[in-house]
Amino acid sequence: MIQQFADFLVYGLMGLEASSSIGAALNFFVYDTIKILILLFCISMVMGVINAYFPIERLRNYLSTHKMYGFQYFLASVFGAITPFCSCSSIPLFIGFVKGGIPLGVTFAFLITSPLVNEVAVAMFLGTFGWEITLIYVASGVVMGMIGGFVLGKMKLERHLSPWILQMQKMQMETDAAFEKRCLPFVKRLPVIAKDAVSIVKGVLLYVVLGIAIGAAIHGYVPEGFFAEFMQSAGVFSVPASVIVAVPMYANAAGIVPVVEVFVAKGVPLGTALAFMMSVVGLSLPEATMLKKVMTWKLIGIFFGTVALMIMLLGWAYNMML
């Protein structure tokens, strides 16, 4: 329905051609802006209901202990793998986790894996590259989320969260205490939950629009062939080069799999092509812009640097093995 509205607005009312750069960019912008804002509101509502009724303090305390021996990172990574979100669509749920006080390393495990692996991309990988490559890709995504979450969690980066999200955490704890003390029925809790959800949407609106605008411009105006030629000409530096040129882009895993197939057909090594894909879906510039509302630039740099390094190591490993 959202795609139909975007097509009607851009190609119908505005009369732009789907094959034109401005038409493709504007359609992308309208569709993703509406989709992510709706998703952000809905997830914020769901997380508000969960926070109101689920013993979130007990979950926070449990995940913060060593009793799970790292298993929490595996669970978060697997949960990220089964959620059908792109990097920007994962952020609303990430905000909900951080707002609820879930340990930062666990939330990072989710944020790393969620855009990399989903059922649509897995199905397309099976049809394009076969089950062996697909299995390696899925396992790599889950393991990368686990390792990345564990490493980032050990770095104690909570002090680099933005004042906005810290204030949201404080308000959440006050709201939890008020709900528990007053034992309000759901009907009376719902307006407060909805108000908080609207507040979250308003808080990140500018960052969402700016991030998607960047992605839309790249989507509409940067030719696909440019990246294949660039990676082929980079030689031994093709893996880090593929990561660098991929970061400004924005697409979900399902949308980039056909591009990876074209790259491989043109002679780009599979590891290099997969490193490009992982960077596009897991480290986009629009994602960084949206995360700025939640994190300081220093934390964003640490997150991006850690994930980029893991992707490069995987790319080199793929090129040696496959």
PDB file of all heavy atoms in Angstrom, residues 156-178:
ATOM      1  N   LYS A 156      32.321  -0.786  27.398  1.00  0.00           N
ATOM      2  CA  LYS A 156      31.606   0.108  28.324  1.00  0.00           C
ATOM      3  C   LYS A 156      31.346   1.476  27.681  1.00  0.00           C
ATOM      4  O   LYS A 156      31.854   2.508  28.134  1.00  0.00           O
ATOM      5  CB  LYS A 156      32.396   0.281  29.632  1.00  0.00           C
ATOM      6  CG  LYS A 156      32.767  -1.012  30.325  1.00  0.00           C
ATOM      7  CD  LYS A 156      31.542  -1.774  30.789  1.00  0.00           C
ATOM      8  CE  LYS A 156      31.940  -3.047  31.560  1.00  0.00           C
ATOM      9  NZ  LYS A 156      30.750  -3.843  31.950  1.00  0.00           N
ATOM     10  N   LEU A 157      30.542   1.480  26.640  1.00  0.00           N
ATOM     11  CA  LEU A 157      30.347   2.686  25.837  1.00  0.00           C
ATOM     12  C   LEU A 157      29.079   3.461  26.200  1.00  0.00           C
ATOM     13  O   LEU A 157      28.715   4.409  25.495  1.00  0.00           O
ATOM     14  CB  LEU A 157      30.295   2.293  24.355  1.00  0.00           C
ATOM     15  CG  LEU A 157      31.560   1.626  23.807  1.00  0.00           C
ATOM     16  CD1 LEU A 157      31.293   1.009  22.439  1.00  0.00           C
ATOM     17  CD2 LEU A 157      32.695   2.638  23.724  1.00  0.00           C
ATOM     18  N   GLU A 158      28.415   3.065  27.278  1.00  0.00           N
ATOM     19  CA  GLU A 158      27.156   3.722  27.634  1.00  0.00           C
ATOM     20  C   GLU A 158      27.307   5.234  27.811  1.00  0.00           C
ATOM     21  O   GLU A 158      26.362   5.994  27.570  1.00  0.00           O
ATOM     22  CB  GLU A 158      26.584   3.108  28.913  1.00  0.00           C
ATOM     23  CG  GLU A 158      25.978   1.733  28.752  1.00  0.00           C
ATOM     24  CD  GLU A 158      27.018   0.624  28.696  1.00  0.00           C
ATOM     25  OE1 GLU A 158      28.234   0.920  28.868  1.00  0.00           O
ATOM     26  OE2 GLU A 158      26.635  -0.532  28.466  1.00  0.00           O
ATOM     27  N   ARG A 159      28.494   5.674  28.234  1.00  0.00           N
ATOM     28  CA  ARG A 159      28.701   7.120  28.450  1.00  0.00           C
ATOM     29  C   ARG A 159      28.656   7.907  27.157  1.00  0.00           C
ATOM     30  O   ARG A 159      28.554   9.145  27.179  1.00  0.00           O
ATOM     31  CB  ARG A 159      30.048   7.348  29.148  1.00  0.00           C
ATOM     32  CG  ARG A 159      31.269   6.963  28.319  1.00  0.00           C
ATOM     33  CD  ARG A 159      32.547   7.096  29.135  1.00  0.00           C
ATOM     34  NE  ARG A 159      33.746   6.797  28.354  1.00  0.00           N
ATOM     35  CZ  ARG A 159      34.191   5.581  28.104  1.00  0.00           C
ATOM     36  NH1 ARG A 159      33.518   4.537  28.559  1.00  0.00           N
ATOM     37  NH2 ARG A 159      35.291   5.397  27.394  1.00  0.00           N
ATOM     38  N   HIS A 160      28.719   7.210  26.026  1.00  0.00           N
ATOM     39  CA  HIS A 160      28.684   7.886  24.732  1.00  0.00           C
ATOM     40  C   HIS A 160      27.289   7.896  24.105  1.00  0.00           C
ATOM     41  O   HIS A 160      27.142   8.290  22.949  1.00  0.00           O
ATOM     42  CB  HIS A 160      29.672   7.232  23.773  1.00  0.00           C
ATOM     43  CG  HIS A 160      31.100   7.337  24.203  1.00  0.00           C
ATOM     44  ND1 HIS A 160      31.723   8.551  24.400  1.00  0.00           N
ATOM     45  CD2 HIS A 160      32.031   6.388  24.497  1.00  0.00           C
ATOM     46  CE1 HIS A 160      32.976   8.345  24.787  1.00  0.00           C
ATOM     47  NE2 HIS A 160      33.185   7.046  24.853  1.00  0.00           N
ATOM     48  N   LEU A 161      26.287   7.454  24.855  1.00  0.00           N
ATOM     49  CA  LEU A 161      24.918   7.606  24.381  1.00  0.00           C
ATOM     50  C   LEU A 161      24.536   9.087  24.447  1.00  0.00           C
ATOM     51  O   LEU A 161      25.067   9.844  25.254  1.00  0.00           O
ATOM     52  CB  LEU A 161      23.953   6.774  25.232  1.00  0.00           C
ATOM     53  CG  LEU A 161      24.075   5.247  25.097  1.00  0.00           C
ATOM     54  CD1 LEU A 161      23.211   4.558  26.147  1.00  0.00           C
ATOM     55  CD2 LEU A 161      23.667   4.790  23.693  1.00  0.00           C
ATOM     56  N   SER A 162      23.609   9.486  23.598  1.00  0.00           N
ATOM     57  CA  SER A 162      23.231  10.895  23.539  1.00  0.00           C
ATOM     58  C   SER A 162      22.415  11.286  24.770  1.00  0.00           C
ATOM     59  O   SER A 162      21.760  10.449  25.400  1.00  0.00           O
ATOM     60  CB  SER A 162      22.408  11.167  22.278  1.00  0.00           C
ATOM     61  OG  SER A 162      21.125  10.562  22.395  1.00  0.00           O
ATOM     62  N   PRO A 163      22.429  12.559  25.152  1.00  0.00           N
ATOM     63  CA  PRO A 163      21.605  13.016  26.284  1.00  0.00           C
ATOM     64  C   PRO A 163      20.127  12.715  26.078  1.00  0.00           C
ATOM     65  O   PRO A 163      19.399  12.450  27.034  1.00  0.00           O
ATOM     66  CB  PRO A 163      21.876  14.530  26.312  1.00  0.00           C
ATOM     67  CG  PRO A 163      23.224  14.696  25.679  1.00  0.00           C
ATOM     68  CD  PRO A 163      23.286  13.629  24.619  1.00  0.00           C
ATOM     69  N   TRP A 164      19.672  12.722  24.818  1.00  0.00           N
ATOM     70  CA  TRP A 164      18.255  12.449  24.530  1.00  0.00           C
ATOM     71  C   TRP A 164      17.864  11.048  24.959  1.00  0.00           C
ATOM     72  O   TRP A 164      16.851  10.853  25.629  1.00  0.00           O
ATOM     73  CB  TRP A 164      17.995  12.633  23.024  1.00  0.00           C
ATOM     74  CG  TRP A 164      16.588  12.319  22.616  1.00  0.00           C
ATOM     75  CD1 TRP A 164      15.504  13.129  22.760  1.00  0.00           C
ATOM     76  CD2 TRP A 164      16.119  11.123  21.996  1.00  0.00           C
ATOM     77  NE1 TRP A 164      14.375  12.505  22.262  1.00  0.00           N
ATOM     78  CE2 TRP A 164      14.734  11.270  21.785  1.00  0.00           C
ATOM     79  CE3 TRP A 164      16.738   9.936  21.585  1.00  0.00           C
ATOM     80  CZ2 TRP A 164      13.952  10.277  21.193  1.00  0.00           C
ATOM     81  CZ3 TRP A 164      15.963   8.947  20.991  1.00  0.00           C
ATOM     82  CH2 TRP A 164      14.596   9.124  20.809  1.00  0.00           C
ATOM     83  N   ILE A 165      18.674  10.053  24.605  1.00  0.00           N
ATOM     84  CA  ILE A 165      18.312   8.674  24.940  1.00  0.00           C
ATOM     85  C   ILE A 165      18.495   8.429  26.435  1.00  0.00           C
ATOM     86  O   ILE A 165      17.748   7.653  27.047  1.00  0.00           O
ATOM     87  CB  ILE A 165      19.138   7.657  24.108  1.00  0.00           C
ATOM     88  CG1 ILE A 165      18.448   6.284  24.130  1.00  0.00           C
ATOM     89  CG2 ILE A 165      20.553   7.543  24.624  1.00  0.00           C
ATOM     90  CD1 ILE A 165      17.115   6.237  23.461  1.00  0.00           C
ATOM     91  N   LEU A 166      19.458   9.096  27.059  1.00  0.00           N
ATOM     92  CA  LEU A 166      19.622   8.967  28.508  1.00  0.00           C
ATOM     93  C   LEU A 166      18.408   9.535  29.239  1.00  0.00           C
ATOM     94  O   LEU A 166      17.950   8.974  30.237  1.00  0.00           O
ATOM     95  CB  LEU A 166      20.903   9.683  28.964  1.00  0.00           C
ATOM     96  CG  LEU A 166      22.223   9.067  28.473  1.00  0.00           C
ATOM     97  CD1 LEU A 166      23.401   9.943  28.885  1.00  0.00           C
ATOM     98  CD2 LEU A 166      22.388   7.648  29.027  1.00  0.00           C
ATOM     99  N   GLN A 167      17.879  10.633  28.715  1.00  0.00           N
ATOM    100  CA  GLN A 167      16.670  11.212  29.295  1.00  0.00           C
ATOM    101  C   GLN A 167      15.482  10.276  29.091  1.00  0.00           C
ATOM    102  O   GLN A 167      14.641  10.115  29.985  1.00  0.00           O
ATOM    103  CB  GLN A 167      16.389  12.582  28.658  1.00  0.00           C
ATOM    104  CG  GLN A 167      15.132  13.276  29.177  1.00  0.00           C
ATOM    105  CD  GLN A 167      15.222  13.617  30.658  1.00  0.00           C
ATOM    106  OE1 GLN A 167      16.316  13.803  31.194  1.00  0.00           O
ATOM    107  NE2 GLN A 167      14.084  13.706  31.330  1.00  0.00           N
ATOM    108  N   MET A 168      15.424   9.635  27.921  1.00  0.00           N
ATOM    109  CA  MET A 168      14.352   8.680  27.648  1.00  0.00           C
ATOM    110  C   MET A 168      14.435   7.493  28.601  1.00  0.00           C
ATOM    111  O   MET A 168      13.408   6.984  29.058  1.00  0.00           O
ATOM    112  CB  MET A 168      14.428   8.193  26.197  1.00  0.00           C
ATOM    113  CG  MET A 168      14.162   9.266  25.155  1.00  0.00           C
ATOM    114  SD  MET A 168      12.485   9.931  25.225  1.00  0.00           S
ATOM    115  CE  MET A 168      11.539   8.516  24.682  1.00  0.00           C
ATOM    116  N   GLN A 169      15.642   7.025  28.890  1.00  0.00           N
ATOM    117  CA  GLN A 169      15.813   5.924  29.839  1.00  0.00           C
ATOM    118  C   GLN A 169      15.315   6.325  31.231  1.00  0.00           C
ATOM    119  O   GLN A 169      14.640   5.542  31.913  1.00  0.00           O
ATOM    120  CB  GLN A 169      17.285   5.516  29.911  1.00  0.00           C
ATOM    121  CG  GLN A 169      17.791   4.757  28.698  1.00  0.00           C
ATOM    122  CD  GLN A 169      19.259   4.378  28.831  1.00  0.00           C
ATOM    123  OE1 GLN A 169      20.011   4.989  29.590  1.00  0.00           O
ATOM    124  NE2 GLN A 169      19.674   3.372  28.086  1.00  0.00           N
ATOM    125  N   LYS A 170      15.653   7.545  31.642  1.00  0.00           N
ATOM    126  CA  LYS A 170      15.212   8.025  32.945  1.00  0.00           C
ATOM    127  C   LYS A 170      13.700   8.123  33.006  1.00  0.00           C
ATOM    128  O   LYS A 170      13.066   7.704  33.992  1.00  0.00           O
ATOM    129  CB  LYS A 170      15.846   9.394  33.226  1.00  0.00           C
ATOM    130  CG  LYS A 170      15.465   9.980  34.580  1.00  0.00           C
ATOM    131  CD  LYS A 170      16.126  11.337  34.783  1.00  0.00           C
ATOM    132  CE  LYS A 170      15.714  11.940  36.122  1.00  0.00           C
ATOM    133  NZ  LYS A 170      16.329  13.289  36.312  1.00  0.00           N
ATOM    134  N   MET A 171      13.100   8.664  31.952  1.00  0.00           N
ATOM    135  CA  MET A 171      11.646   8.776  31.905  1.00  0.00           C
ATOM    136  C   MET A 171      10.994   7.398  31.911  1.00  0.00           C
ATOM    137  O   MET A 171       9.937   7.204  32.516  1.00  0.00           O
ATOM    138  CB  MET A 171      11.226   9.552  30.652  1.00  0.00           C
ATOM    139  CG  MET A 171      11.586  11.031  30.688  1.00  0.00           C
ATOM    140  SD  MET A 171      11.267  11.859  29.095  1.00  0.00           S
ATOM    141  CE  MET A 171       9.511  11.541  28.897  1.00  0.00           C
ATOM    142  N   GLN A 172      11.629   6.439  31.223  1.00  0.00           N
ATOM    143  CA  GLN A 172      11.080   5.089  31.178  1.00  0.00           C
ATOM    144  C   GLN A 172      11.054   4.466  32.576  1.00  0.00           C
ATOM    145  O   GLN A 172      10.070   3.833  32.974  1.00  0.00           O
ATOM    146  CB  GLN A 172      11.906   4.204  30.240  1.00  0.00           C
ATOM    147  CG  GLN A 172      11.373   2.785  30.102  1.00  0.00           C
ATOM    148  CD  GLN A 172       9.990   2.760  29.502  1.00  0.00           C
ATOM    149  OE1 GLN A 172       9.752   3.331  28.452  1.00  0.00           O
ATOM    150  NE2 GLN A 172       9.064   2.101  30.195  1.00  0.00           N
ATOM    151  N   MET A 173      12.144   4.644  33.332  1.00  0.00           N
ATOM    152  CA  MET A 173      12.189   4.087  34.683  1.00  0.00           C
ATOM    153  C   MET A 173      11.142   4.745  35.579  1.00  0.00           C
ATOM    154  O   MET A 173      10.495   4.078  36.391  1.00  0.00           O
ATOM    155  CB  MET A 173      13.592   4.261  35.269  1.00  0.00           C
ATOM    156  CG  MET A 173      14.634   3.361  34.632  1.00  0.00           C
ATOM    157  SD  MET A 173      16.236   3.401  35.472  1.00  0.00           S
ATOM    158  CE  MET A 173      16.831   5.027  34.984  1.00  0.00           C
ATOM    159  N   GLU A 174      10.953   6.055  35.409  1.00  0.00           N
ATOM    160  CA  GLU A 174       9.926   6.750  36.194  1.00  0.00           C
ATOM    161  C   GLU A 174       8.535   6.278  35.816  1.00  0.00           C
ATOM    162  O   GLU A 174       7.665   6.091  36.665  1.00  0.00           O
ATOM    163  CB  GLU A 174      10.048   8.259  35.982  1.00  0.00           C
ATOM    164  CG  GLU A 174      11.336   8.848  36.556  1.00  0.00           C
ATOM    165  CD  GLU A 174      11.511  10.313  36.197  1.00  0.00           C
ATOM    166  OE1 GLU A 174      10.718  10.818  35.368  1.00  0.00           O
ATOM    167  OE2 GLU A 174      12.437  10.952  36.737  1.00  0.00           O
ATOM    168  N   THR A 175       8.321   6.059  34.495  1.00  0.00           N
ATOM    169  CA  THR A 175       7.026   5.573  34.028  1.00  0.00           C
ATOM    170  C   THR A 175       6.761   4.163  34.546  1.00  0.00           C
ATOM    171  O   THR A 175       5.658   3.843  34.986  1.00  0.00           O
ATOM    172  CB  THR A 175       6.977   5.574  32.492  1.00  0.00           C
ATOM    173  OG1 THR A 175       7.200   6.901  32.021  1.00  0.00           O
ATOM    174  CG2 THR A 175       5.618   5.102  31.995  1.00  0.00           C
ATOM    175  N   ASP A 176       7.793   3.297  34.497  1.00  0.00           N
ATOM    176  CA  ASP A 176       7.651   1.929  35.003  1.00  0.00           C
ATOM    177  C   ASP A 176       7.260   1.945  36.475  1.00  0.00           C
ATOM    178  O   ASP A 176       6.368   1.202  36.910  1.00  0.00           O
ATOM    179  CB  ASP A 176       8.974   1.165  34.841  1.00  0.00           C
ATOM    180  CG  ASP A 176       9.284   0.876  33.383  1.00  0.00           C
ATOM    181  OD1 ASP A 176       8.377   1.036  32.550  1.00  0.00           O
ATOM    182  OD2 ASP A 176      10.440   0.510  33.096  1.00  0.00           O
ATOM    183  N   ALA A 177       7.941   2.801  37.253  1.00  0.00           N
ATOM    184  CA  ALA A 177       7.660   2.878  38.685  1.00  0.00           C
ATOM    185  C   ALA A 177       6.241   3.381  38.941  1.00  0.00           C
ATOM    186  O   ALA A 177       5.527   2.878  39.816  1.00  0.00           O
ATOM    187  CB  ALA A 177       8.676   3.795  39.373  1.00  0.00           C
ATOM    188  N   ALA A 178       5.806   4.369  38.157  1.00  0.00           N
ATOM    189  CA  ALA A 178       4.459   4.918  38.321  1.00  0.00           C
ATOM    190  C   ALA A 178       3.403   3.883  37.978  1.00  0.00           C
ATOM    191  O   ALA A 178       2.401   3.724  38.676  1.00  0.00           O
ATOM    192  CB  ALA A 178       4.287   6.167  37.450  1.00  0.00           C
TER     193      ALA A 178
END
